[in-house]
Amino acid sequence: MSKNYFSVVLCFLVFLAGCTPVQDKPVTYVDSSLMSQLEMSKSTKAETKALLGEPAFTTSKPDGRSTFLYNTSPTQKVVFLFDAEGKLIKKVVYEK
């Protein structure tokens, strides 16, 4: 009987763990006026991070390109695209 009781308790605990909400990290907003200091084909990923801080989201492509996403307001996001050498090649602003 104790083995069945243990199994029921374990299943219940696993069920409860699955129902626990995931805590997202708080959204931080970057001062968009700082972005004017970044230069296309010159600024690097390291310089971008030094100026704006850690991106909210990053991607890396198989060809070496990568992207950094920054939140500038609750309704605006900015994505920076870097080439395989880590140089900034494109900036795209998204509005909700």
Side-chain angles (χ1 to χ4, degrees), residues 49-96:
K49 281 185 182 182
L51 180 66
L52 304 176
E54 284 297 317
F57 186 78
T58 63
T59 63
S60 296
K61 308 292 182 201
D63 65 0
R65 293 181 300 158
S66 57
T67 60
F68 289 178
L69 179 139
Y70 289 93
N71 296 296
T72 55
S73 75
T75 61
Q76 186 181 69
K77 298 178 184 329
V78 178
V79 176
F80 295 99
L81 176 64
F82 299 91
D83 64 15
E85 288 78 42
K87 298 283 186 180
L88 179 62
I89 57 173
K90 189 173 185 178
K91 176 180 114 176
V92 181
V93 178
Y94 293 98
E95 297 279 341
K96 281 188 179 178

Side-chain angles (χ1 to χ4, degrees), residues 11-89:
C11 287
F12 181 72
L13 290 174
V14 169
F15 172 76
L16 283 180
C19 294
T20 304
V22 175
Q23 295 293 328
D24 292 329
K25 66 179 182 179
V27 176
T28 55
Y29 298 106
V30 173
D31 182 356
S32 59
S33 66
L34 295 173
M35 294 179 190
S36 64
Q37 297 178 36
L38 298 172
E39 297 181 56
M40 294 297 161
S41 302
K42 291 185 181 180
S43 295
T44 65
K45 292 193 296 187
E47 292 168 341
T48 302
K49 281 185 182 182
L51 180 66
L52 304 176
E54 284 297 317
F57 186 78
T58 63
T59 63
S60 296
K61 308 292 182 201
D63 65 0
R65 293 181 300 158
S66 57
T67 60
F68 289 178
L69 179 139
Y70 289 93
N71 296 296
T72 55
S73 75
T75 61
Q76 186 181 69
K77 298 178 184 329
V78 178
V79 176
F80 295 99
L81 176 64
F82 299 91
D83 64 15
E85 288 78 42
K87 298 283 186 180
L88 179 62
I89 57 173

